[in-house]
């Protein structure tokens, strides 16, 4: 990130409905590999930091008891909520408007944390 840069709430305005179509898909079998390597059993909690429209979190929802997506863009979170409803997982999903730098934001603890195509947006701590 550029020193002194601040989040612009209009950065992704209007893009959320098209986001999933315009991004490369995640690898087929990713959920199966994560389930095996992390011994996921349908319980536990997942946090998807920079979740966008929830693409990755929703594809992993069956592996967790609860999924929480965080993103600073309200349009992306609206799209994630719509996707959760379509997938039938609204009851175990939560979408929170917050930047990664503002976590934990009272969200509790998680079994797994993911940054799918979003880590580059996180402001790193100052170098010592």
């Amino acid at each position: 990130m550029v020193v002194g840069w601040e989040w612009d709430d209009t950065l992704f305005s209007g893009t959320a409905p098209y986001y999933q179509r315009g991004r490369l898909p995640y690898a087929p079998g990713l959920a199966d590999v994560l389930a095996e390597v992390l011994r996921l059993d349908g319980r536990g909690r997942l946090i998807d930091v920079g979740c966008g429209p929830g693409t990755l979190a929703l594809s992993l929802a069956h592996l967790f008891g609860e999924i929480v997506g965080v993103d600073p863009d309200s349009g992306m979170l609206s799209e994630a909520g719509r996707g959760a409803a379509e997938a039938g997982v609204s009851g175990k999903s939560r979408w929170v408007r917050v930047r990664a730098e503002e976590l934990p934001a009272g969200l509790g603890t998680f079994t797994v944390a993911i940054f799918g195509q979003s880590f580059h947006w996180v402001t790193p701590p100052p170098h010592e």
Side-chain angles (χ1 to χ4, degrees), residues 1-9 11 99 121 123:
M1 299 300 303
V2 176
V3 174
W5 185 83
E6 292 187 26
W7 176 256
D8 176 359
D9 287 332
L11 191 61
R99 294 189 65 210
W121 286 103
T123 304

Side-chain angles (χ1 to χ4, degrees), residues 20-88:
Q20 195 162 336
R21 283 188 279 169
R23 303 240 21 197
L24 291 173
Y26 290 97
L30 176 62
D32 293 336
V33 169
L34 289 176
E36 181 180 337
V37 170
L38 300 175
R39 296 186 179 113
L40 302 174
D41 59 6
R43 297 179 293 180
R45 299 179 74 220
L46 168 74
I47 186 168
D48 184 354
V49 182
C51 67
T55 306
L56 187 53
L58 292 171
S59 73
L60 302 174
H62 66 285
L63 300 173
F64 296 91
E66 181 183 13
I67 60 170
V68 177
V70 298
D71 200 279
D73 187 89
S74 60
M76 293 292 180
L77 296 176
S78 293
E79 228 16 67
R82 194 174 358 273
E86 289 174 7

